Amino acid sequence: MKYFSTRDRSLRYTSAEAVKMGLSRDGGLLTPCEIPKIDRAFLESLVNERYQVRAARVMSLYLTDYTEEELSAFAENAYGPEKFDTPAVAPIHTLDEATHCLELWHGPTSAFKDMALQMLPQLLSAALRKTGEEKTVCILVATSGDTGKAAMEGFADVPQTKIMVFYPKDGVSAVQEAQMVTQEGVNVGVCAVVGNFDDAQAGVKRIFSDEGIRTVLAERGYVLSSANSINWGRILPQVVYYISAYCDLVRDGKVVMGEKVNFCVPTGNFGDILAAYYAKRMGLPVHMLICASNRNDVLTDFLRTGVYDRKRPFHTTMSPSMDILVSSNLERLLFDLSGEDDEAVSGYMEALAREGRYEVSDAIKAALTKQYWGGFCGEADTSATIARYYRDYGYLIDTHTAVAANVMEQYRRTTGDRTPTVFVSTASPFKFCDHVLRAIGEDPAGDGVELLDQLHETTGVAIPRRLAALKGKARRFDLTCEKLGMDRVVLEFLK
Ligand SMILES: *Cc1c(COP(=O)(O)O)cnc(C)c1O
């Protein structure tokens, strides 16, 4: 299968090239030229398989220049017992007969980013082999907290790669910062940026598009690539868990094969919910995709009006991984809904860059309304939802998951739809101890990793092993730079 750019359908690449490049040269996102179909027999054949087998089978439909043996080996490495704390990998926690929570945080960094970032480095290493690349790939990451750690954990000590992570100095949780600055590995670097996430992201994009820097780095034997969810190698492993979740529900008698379900996804860059959309397009029985935002509600407005308008205040919230005003992966959805109209997509993206706003066609609006419902949840409601799920179900959820739970309830109240619904849990509550403690009525005593014990002692819930181990770990990185100093940090890192 070939991949083309959302801004130019005439550019075509193999899957290995698409994974290696990360982003198309024209600024578009690389996207499969066709969406493979799955049928009932395919799903039935997966119902009694392990997660690893499901992953290899689903990914092989898209990565046609990788062998099944390669993909099986990658899946065993990515999702095995050294990495994930449950053999189910992505288990479902059922709250009542129509309400299920898909837990995606059982990997090494306790956030759902592991689901893709334990796989991407292996896909990329193979892509370097397959394309005869001799240079070392340097992955540049701007992170709002979870991606940076998950990417370093995935790429640490992977041959022919280096990874440099930039995070906003005061924009990540204490546990997230501790996770990043204690990262081990000879090929990793971490730097705090004085500014917010959008500043760090803009800095990375600037370095990517700077021909001068690219030339210097090429002379030193480096090429740049991305581990953000603009890379197709990030999206595809996420398609797997929607299909896997459906198989689990069927296996456990919670839905019957063919019955439709809804997915409700806490959304930032639109990668996770886009993966759910691909699963639906492939033929998974899905009714509605519910897009949950926090106070940064640009997507809620877009799904309701067809107008994307980023000109609004940026709010820093207790669900920082969703604090984002430009959701990059929406571009892939627009491309698909417009009938792969690369000119229309280029037009929208130019308008966004120029005026901070665009309005989609009536045809796209109609398609959006049919498949998506958007809602948002403010700070007080996020806390109240954590408290209520803890009290009513004895179930402790993090701040991002709480946004999804709350918006799922809004959807049900507004529409009366009783379709069985899976809301997606994207992080362990232990990554956001202070907010979670306050939400359940406790006073956080101390800060940073000290709060792990307090949350454990209050709730009896076990601390994820790797987070507990942070307490004794030495800080390895102490670098800070100004927004405009990021390129110097990169040039120094790749000396
Ligand atoms: C990244 C992240 C999200 C948002 O996912 P997108 O794919 O960017 O929409 C939600 N919750 C958590 C905990 C995350 O780390």
Side-chain angles (χ1 to χ4, degrees):
M1 178 181 304
K2 286 291 199 319
Y3 290 75
F4 50 21
S5 162
T6 49
R7 299 189 198 175
D8 184 352
R9 293 177 36 156
S10 67
L11 299 172
R12 297 199 174 212
Y13 303 96
T14 65
S15 45
E17 286 168 329
V19 167
K20 185 174 92 175
M21 290 162 64
L23 185 70
S24 179
R25 296 278 172 264
D26 58 359
L29 304 192
L30 295 164
T31 300
C33 292
E34 69 217 74
I35 295 178
K37 290 282 178 260
I38 56 175
D39 55 15
R40 195 185 172 107
F42 181 88
L43 287 173
E44 274 165 356
S45 76
L46 292 186
V47 165
N48 291 311
E49 293 291 358
R50 295 152 58 236
Y51 190 87
Q52 288 86 328
V53 175
R54 293 173 180 169
R57 293 272 309 280
V58 171
M59 294 202 315
S60 72
L61 299 174
Y62 287 90
L63 301 179
T64 46
D65 49 346
Y66 292 68
T67 65
E68 287 240 21
E69 294 73 52
E70 280 178 312
L71 294 173
S72 298
F74 297 167
E76 295 298 336
N77 291 335
Y79 304 120
E82 294 100 78
K83 301 293 178 63
F84 277 72
D85 67 10
T86 164
V89 182
I92 285 182
H93 183 95
T94 290
L95 298 178
D96 63 42
E97 62 184 27
T99 312
H100 311 277
C101 184
L102 174 60
E103 295 180 350
L104 298 179
W105 42 263
H106 290 275
T109 77
S110 304
F112 94 95
K113 303 294 195 290
D114 290 326
M115 301 302 300
L117 283 165
Q118 284 298 313
M119 178 59 70
L120 178 67
Q122 304 186 76
L123 296 177
L124 182 66
S125 286
L128 297 179
R129 269 198 317 278
K130 288 174 195 295
T131 59
E133 180 65 63
E134 284 172 357
K135 293 196 171 69
T136 294
V137 174
C138 179
I139 309 289
L140 293 186
V141 181
T143 184
S144 57
D146 288 329
T147 302
K149 174 63 184 181
M152 285 192 285
E153 192 66 33
F155 279 100
D157 296 326
V158 172
Q160 215 184 333
T161 72
K162 295 192 93 173
I163 174 163
M164 181 80 215
V165 170
F166 293 97
Y167 68 92
K169 190 165 188 316
D170 299 309
V172 301
S173 83
V175 170
Q176 288 175 319
E177 177 168 45
Q179 283 184 299
M180 288 191 276
V181 300
T182 57
Q183 176 66 44
E184 288 166 26
V186 295
N187 61 339
V188 305
V190 182
C191 180
V193 179
V194 182
N196 65 21
F197 169 68
D198 277 345
D199 295 323
Q201 167 118 308
V204 165
K205 286 192 179 154
R206 222 174 25 245
I207 295 169
F208 266 107
S209 58
D210 186 326
E211 282 302 325
I213 294 185
R214 276 186 183 271
T215 310
V216 173
L217 294 182
E219 281 161 8
R220 296 181 189 173
Y222 292 104
V223 314
L224 298 177
S225 187
S226 168
N228 284 99
S229 58
I230 51 178
N231 193 319
W232 177 250
R234 275 282 302 276
I235 302 295
L236 180 56
Q238 299 181 193
V239 175
V240 173
Y241 51 70
Y242 291 102
I243 295 174
S244 178
Y246 190 85
C247 291
D248 281 352
L249 289 172
V250 170
R251 183 197 60 205
D252 298 342
K254 290 167 182 168
V255 305
V256 293
M257 179 61 83
E259 183 181 357
K260 288 192 172 173
V261 301
N262 298 327
F263 287 108
C264 178
V265 186
T267 296
N269 220 3
F270 211 78
D272 201 1
I273 195 166
L274 179 81
Y277 174 78
Y278 281 113
K280 182 174 195 280
R281 284 279 274 121
M282 290 168 75
L284 192 70
V286 176
H287 174 50
M288 270 290 175
L289 297 170
I290 304 162
C291 177
S293 300
N294 65 22
R295 260 187 95 191
N296 295 293
D297 57 353
V298 58
L299 285 168
T300 307
D301 288 347
F302 173 68
L303 292 172
R304 292 182 182 176
T305 64
V307 176
Y308 196 98
D309 189 350
R310 64 162 298 183
K311 291 171 298 176
R312 59 183 74 211
F314 177 98
H315 300 293
T316 300
T317 72
M318 65 176 84
S319 45
S321 299
M322 298 159 69
D323 291 347
I324 182 157
L325 292 180
V326 178
S327 298
S328 309
N329 271 299
L330 197 56
E331 182 167 345
R332 285 192 171 105
L333 178 66
L334 297 178
F335 183 68
D336 195 59
L337 292 180
S338 66
E340 302 179 342
D341 186 342
D342 48 1
E343 279 178 30
V345 171
S346 304
Y348 297 145
M349 294 305 131
E350 275 161 29
L352 182 64
R354 216 174 39 238
E355 293 146 29
R357 174 187 193 281
Y358 62 86
E359 177 165 8
V360 295
S361 69
D362 289 343
I364 295 182
K365 277 184 208 170
L368 282 174
T369 320
K370 220 168 126 203
Q371 309 190 62
Y372 283 88
W373 195 88
F376 74 98
C377 170
E379 297 288 271
D381 285 336
T382 305
S383 291
T385 305
I386 294 172
R388 200 153 39 77
Y389 275 66
Y390 184 57
R391 191 189 64 217
D392 294 352
Y393 300 105
Y395 190 46
L396 193 66
I397 55 178
D398 96 295
T399 48
H400 304 75
T401 309
V403 168
N406 183 286
V407 171
M408 170 182 69
E409 293 169 356
Q410 294 180 39
Y411 167 78
R412 286 176 163 169
R413 273 199 305 276
T414 311
T415 63
D417 179 17
R418 299 306 299 167
T419 305
T421 300
V422 179
F423 67 105
V424 174
S425 180
T426 47
S428 157
F430 286 94
K431 288 194 95 163
F432 305 95
C433 296
D434 47 353
H435 293 295
V436 173
L437 278 165
R438 267 190 220 107
I440 61 173
E442 294 291 314
D443 244 341
D447 56 19
V449 295
E450 295 160 22
L451 296 180
L452 293 168
D453 287 327
Q454 190 186 352
L455 187 55
H456 165 65
E457 277 152 25
T458 309
T459 61
V461 179
I463 307 173
R465 177 164 48 97
R466 305 284 284 274
L467 294 185
L470 282 176
K471 275 178 283 179
K473 275 206 149 168
R475 186 177 181 119
R476 287 190 66 213
F477 300 96
D478 209 1
L479 198 59
T480 301
C481 74
E482 302 292 328
K483 308 189 253 203
L484 294 176
M486 288 170 61
D487 40 0
R488 230 171 327 115
V489 172
V490 170
L491 289 169
E492 189 66 23
F493 179 62
L494 300 178
K495 264 248 241 337

